[in-house]
Amino acid sequence: MISISTIAIKLLMLLSFGNIWISRDFDFFYFVQQWPGSFCDTKKSCCFPLTGKPVSNFSIHGLWPNFSNGSFPSNCNIAENPFNQSKITDLIPRAEKGWASLSCAGSKKTENNKTSSDNTRFWKHEWDKHGTCSDLILDQHAYFEATLNLKDRVDLLQILQYNGIKPDGNLYSIVNITKAITQAIGLEPGITCNTDPSGNRQLNEIYLCADKYASSFIECPILPSRKSCTDMVEFPIF
Ligand code: 5GP
């Protein structure tokens, strides 16, 4: 006779092997935007996409499912749900503007022998590593559309500039950067920094949090560490 506990164990095994239970759960999203000037102003060089130099504004790094304890799932369902750009054809013009890659990794030489970044490679990386972990809630089209919509809802550069914090190569206090964004949107952002070739810390990425549907900004259950930042950080020109 098959006992209830045997059935329960078989069900649990099915759920975990089917990858729908453990690894594809999460609590909230980090919506991460990067300052292109800081990505480019490091020892590693940066490359521009074929569409040319992006505008001087924050751009999307990604939408990352996260747990409230700070850990995060990754690479959850690539085999079954690989990146397929044809599913987001209608979103490409928006993604080219707001979600450009600046990385030279895997870059291609253009006809005039310039090196360009590869947007498709970046979007594929973000979908495979992060998006497949939230695909029970957002399919590929919904994931990319929700991310682009979040970007349209908050203009970080405008908020900072309104508070006198400009990408002019000067130093600004992390406290003031945080305060400006918190006052404007009512939610505290996370801030991470990187280092320029002279060793100065600079404003690199700004994290906002969104609910599991990526439809509303929420208070971050946990903020990324600010250890990478000094009290005053450079806001580089781009
Ligand atoms: P993550 O794994 O943190 O989601 O994304 C980082 C990866 O995306 C790295 O492998 C990096 O080379 C690639 N990548 C491509 N373009 C960009 C870009 O514009 N910014 C950042 N931060 N990473 C990029």
Side-chain angles (χ1 to χ4, degrees), residues 106-118:
S107 54
K108 297 172 188 155
K109 288 262 183 226
T110 60
E111 277 165 19
N112 47 9
N113 216 24
K114 274 187 154 178
T115 311
S116 68
S117 65
D118 185 343

Side-chain angles (χ1 to χ4, degrees), residues 34 39 61 64 100-103 105 122 125-126 129-130 205:
Q34 61 185 1
F39 188 92
H61 181 165
W64 303 342
S101 171
L102 293 168
S103 169
F122 187 30
H125 170 86
E126 291 301 311
K129 180 172 175 186
H130 304 284
E205 298 197 312

Side-chain angles (χ1 to χ4, degrees), residues 1-23:
M1 203 174 82
I2 303 174
S3 68
I4 293 187
S5 59
T6 314
I7 295 173
I9 288 169
K10 285 203 169 142
L11 192 62
L12 282 177
M13 283 169 68
L14 187 74
L15 285 170
S16 53
F17 287 135
N19 206 13
I20 40 180
W21 182 48
I22 296 170
S23 60

Side-chain angles (χ1 to χ4, degrees), residues 35-172:
W35 177 248
S38 303
F39 188 92
C40 289
D41 188 20
T42 61
K43 279 186 194 150
K44 277 199 251 166
S45 60
C46 75
C47 291
F48 297 150
L50 286 172
T51 45
K53 182 180 174 181
V55 291
S56 175
N57 206 337
F58 286 89
S59 65
I60 298 169
H61 181 165
L63 183 70
W64 303 342
N66 237 78
F67 294 109
S68 298
N69 68 6
S71 67
F72 61 92
S74 61
N75 302 314
C76 297
N77 195 24
I78 304 171
E80 282 175 43
N81 196 357
F83 179 71
N84 180 347
Q85 191 157 309
S86 69
K87 291 183 178 171
I88 57 163
T89 312
D90 60 315
L91 300 172
I92 298 298
R94 288 176 71 195
E96 282 178 342
K97 277 199 195 128
W99 201 340
S101 171
L102 293 168
S103 169
C104 300
S107 54
K108 297 172 188 155
K109 288 262 183 226
T110 60
E111 277 165 19
N112 47 9
N113 216 24
K114 274 187 154 178
T115 311
S116 68
S117 65
D118 185 343
N119 283 340
T120 300
R121 185 185 160 109
F122 187 30
W123 301 330
K124 174 179 166 22
H125 170 86
E126 291 301 311
W127 170 257
D128 287 350
K129 180 172 175 186
H130 304 284
T132 60
C133 298
S134 52
D135 69 355
L136 290 175
I137 294 181
L138 300 175
D139 65 19
Q140 269 183 61
H141 189 273
Y143 175 84
F144 282 91
E145 188 168 39
T147 310
L148 293 163
N149 287 346
L150 287 175
K151 172 152 175 55
D152 287 346
R153 301 226 321 252
V154 174
D155 189 335
L156 291 176
L157 185 60
Q158 196 181 54
I159 292 169
L160 294 177
Q161 284 180 326
Y162 180 78
N163 287 276
I165 300 165
K166 302 178 198 119
D168 55 7
N170 286 325
L171 297 180
Y172 295 94

